[in-house]
Amino acid sequence: MSAAEVGGVFHRARGRTLDAFSADHLPLTLLGFLFCTTEQNGRITTDKRLAGTEKEREWTGPFYFIQGADPQFGLMKAWSTGDCDNGGDEWEQEIRLTEQAIQAINKMNPKPRFFVVCGDLIHAMPGAPWRKEQTEDLQRVLRNVDSAIPLVLVSGNHDVGNTPTPETIAEFQQTWGDDYFSFWVGGVLFLVLNSQLLYDASRCPALKQAQDRWLDQQLSAAGQQKCQHAIIFQHIPLFLQSIDEDDNYFNLTKTLRKEMADKFAKAGVKAVFSGHYHRNAGGTYQNLDMVVSSAIGCQLGKDTHGLRVVVVTAEKIVHRYYSLDELSENGIEDDLMDLMKKK
C-alpha cells in the first residue's frame, strides 16, 4: 500500500502533530463559531482543521479513549516455534484478534475519542522477511476502524529496530506517520514518544537530541497553556513495577527512567501508557501513573488478549483492562460509563 493510499485509511501524524481532531468531527451547530479565517490574495478562506485544533484545547467534560498495544503480526507463530528472530511467517491469529478488537471498539456507544496502539504494530524487524506483507495486512485491517474514531499509532522496537537508524525511522514515518508528535483532545495534551530513541540511539544521536528538545518544549507549553491533564504514550515502559527495579529488556535503564520520570512529574504529567511487556503491569512514582498494557496479539504471561479503556475526568484518569471477549460481549462497565456523565 502506497503512502497516498495509507492517508485514506487514517490520518498520519505530520509536522509533529496529528490533525485528526478537526472541525469535521464536531457537531454542525458548533462549526459557525469555530472556523478560523485567513486572507490570501484578497480572498477569505476558512480553515476548519485549525478551528478544530483550537477547540480541542478547551476542557468540555469527561471522555474516554481506548489503548491497545502489540498487535505484532507474526509473533505468535515465531514464539510458538521458539524462533523469534527468523520465525513469524504466519499471522492469521493476529489478524483475527485485531479484527475482533476493532469490531468491539466500533460498537461502543458513545464512541471513544480515539484508539491508540502503543507500538510493535508488526513483528518483522526492518529489513526482515515478511515485513511488507505484515504491514499491508495490518493496514487492511485498520481500514475497518470507524472513521469517526481517529487512530493514534506509536512506534515500537519492531517498527523502527532495536537500534534505530535514520533510515528505519524514515521508513516508519513514510509508512505510518511521525515517530513522535503531540495532539490535544478535550483540553488534554497527549504526547507520543519514540521510546527506542531513549533505549538505544547510538546510531542516530542527532534524532534523539531533536526529540529531547521537542519534548522539553512540549512539557513547558503544557504548563503555560494550563492543560487539564498531560498524558504520554510510548512503547517501552519507564518501569514495570517500581522506579528502582533492575534494568531488563522490558524497561528503560534506571538512570534514564529516573531522569524521565522526574521530568514528567515536574511538568505535571499524570500518566504514561505503554506496551512492550505483553503482560499487564505498572506502578506509581510521585504523582505519575506508569501503565503497562498487555497485548492485542501474543501473550507472554497469564493475561488475555485485550484493550484498556481509559476515562478522563476533570480530576483524574481511570483505566481498566478488558479481554477482547469481555469488551465484545458486554462493553464498558457501568461505573466507568457513569464517570463520563459527570460534568
Side-chain angles (χ1 to χ4, degrees):
M1 185 177 294
S2 70
E5 290 172 317
V6 173
V9 178
F10 49 81
H11 290 260
R12 298 165 68 221
R14 298 177 183 272
R16 304 303 176 195
T17 191
L18 182 65
D19 68 354
F21 305 94
S22 69
D24 291 326
H25 296 283
L26 297 173
L28 289 173
T29 53
L30 292 176
L31 293 182
F33 300 99
L34 299 179
F35 288 163
C36 295
T37 58
T38 57
E39 183 175 354
Q40 290 183 330
N41 300 324
R43 298 181 62 184
I44 301 296
T45 59
T46 300
D47 186 347
K48 292 195 292 181
R49 180 185 61 82
L50 180 58
T53 300
E54 290 302 314
K55 178 61 180 176
E56 291 295 349
R57 294 173 185 265
E58 302 174 11
W59 176 257
T60 55
F63 64 89
Y64 81 103
F65 63 87
I66 303 297
Q67 184 223 2
D70 301 276
Q72 204 160 340
F73 283 20
L75 177 58
M76 294 178 78
K77 171 67 179 297
W79 186 260
S80 69
T81 61
D83 187 4
C84 287
D85 291 332
N86 302 303
D89 59 339
E90 297 175 9
W91 48 92
E92 284 301 318
Q93 293 181 85
E94 287 95 337
I95 288 176
R96 179 181 57 79
L97 290 163
T98 307
E99 288 176 338
Q100 182 182 2
I102 290 171
Q103 290 167 4
I105 293 168
N106 287 348
K107 287 195 309 183
M108 293 180 178
N109 184 28
K111 295 184 184 302
R113 289 304 311 272
F114 60 88
F115 171 33
V116 58
V117 184
C118 283
D120 278 3
L121 308 178
I122 60 172
H123 180 62
M125 289 280 191
W130 310 299
R131 184 171 174 86
K132 179 176 181 289
E133 293 82 0
Q134 290 173 4
T135 298
E136 290 177 346
D137 277 348
L138 179 57
Q139 289 172 342
R140 175 180 55 80
V141 172
L142 291 177
R143 189 183 290 123
N144 295 318
V145 176
D146 190 313
S147 60
I149 305 172
L151 270 168
V152 180
L153 300 175
V154 182
S155 64
N157 58 304
H158 281 261
D159 305 313
V160 298
N162 285 323
T163 305
T165 67
E167 292 75 22
T168 63
I169 290 177
E171 180 201 337
F172 179 88
Q173 292 172 334
Q174 182 177 7
T175 304
W176 301 107
D178 283 349
D179 56 319
Y180 61 90
F181 55 93
S182 64
F183 61 96
W184 288 80
V185 175
V188 177
L189 175 62
F190 293 92
L191 304 177
V192 172
L193 299 184
N194 180 348
S195 57
Q196 220 54 39
L197 294 176
L198 305 174
Y199 190 82
D200 183 1
S202 58
R203 298 180 66 186
C204 54
L207 296 183
K208 178 187 184 300
Q209 292 168 7
Q211 178 176 257
D212 289 345
R213 290 193 299 270
W214 173 88
L215 176 59
D216 288 343
Q217 293 168 354
Q218 292 291 313
L219 293 176
S220 175
Q224 294 172 6
Q225 299 180 33
K226 298 180 180 178
C227 59
Q228 192 73 22
H229 304 293
I231 295 174
I232 289 176
F233 299 124
Q234 60 188 55
H235 179 61
I236 301 178
L238 298 174
F239 55 86
L240 299 175
Q241 296 177 323
S242 167
I243 193 74
D244 297 317
E245 68 194 22
D246 292 337
D247 296 350
N248 62 59
Y249 173 78
F250 291 108
N251 59 21
L252 296 179
T253 62
K254 190 177 296 187
T255 301
L256 179 60
R257 89 175 70 120
K258 183 68 162 51
E259 175 188 335
M260 299 299 292
D262 283 338
K263 180 183 294 188
F264 294 161
K266 182 178 179 181
V269 174
K270 293 291 183 66
V272 177
F273 289 87
S274 69
H276 190 51
Y277 193 43
H278 293 256
R279 287 153 283 201
N280 287 311
T284 58
Y285 174 71
Q286 297 183 18
N287 293 321
L288 179 69
D289 191 9
M290 179 66 247
V291 185
V292 185
S293 292
S294 197
I296 295 171
C298 186
Q299 302 297 310
L300 302 185
K302 297 181 180 179
D303 293 300
T304 55
H305 311 282
L307 297 167
R308 190 172 297 275
V309 176
V310 185
V311 178
V312 182
T313 73
E315 296 81 22
K316 58 187 178 180
I317 297 163
V318 181
H319 51 86
R320 188 170 302 161
Y321 187 85
Y322 289 85
S323 74
L324 295 183
D325 289 341
E326 288 174 332
L327 209 55
S328 299
E329 295 169 8
N330 304 318
I332 303 174
E333 291 167 292
D334 290 342
D335 61 327
L336 294 184
M337 294 296 289
D338 289 342
L339 286 175
M340 287 181 281
K341 298 175 183 177
K342 299 176 181 179
K343 297 297 181 181

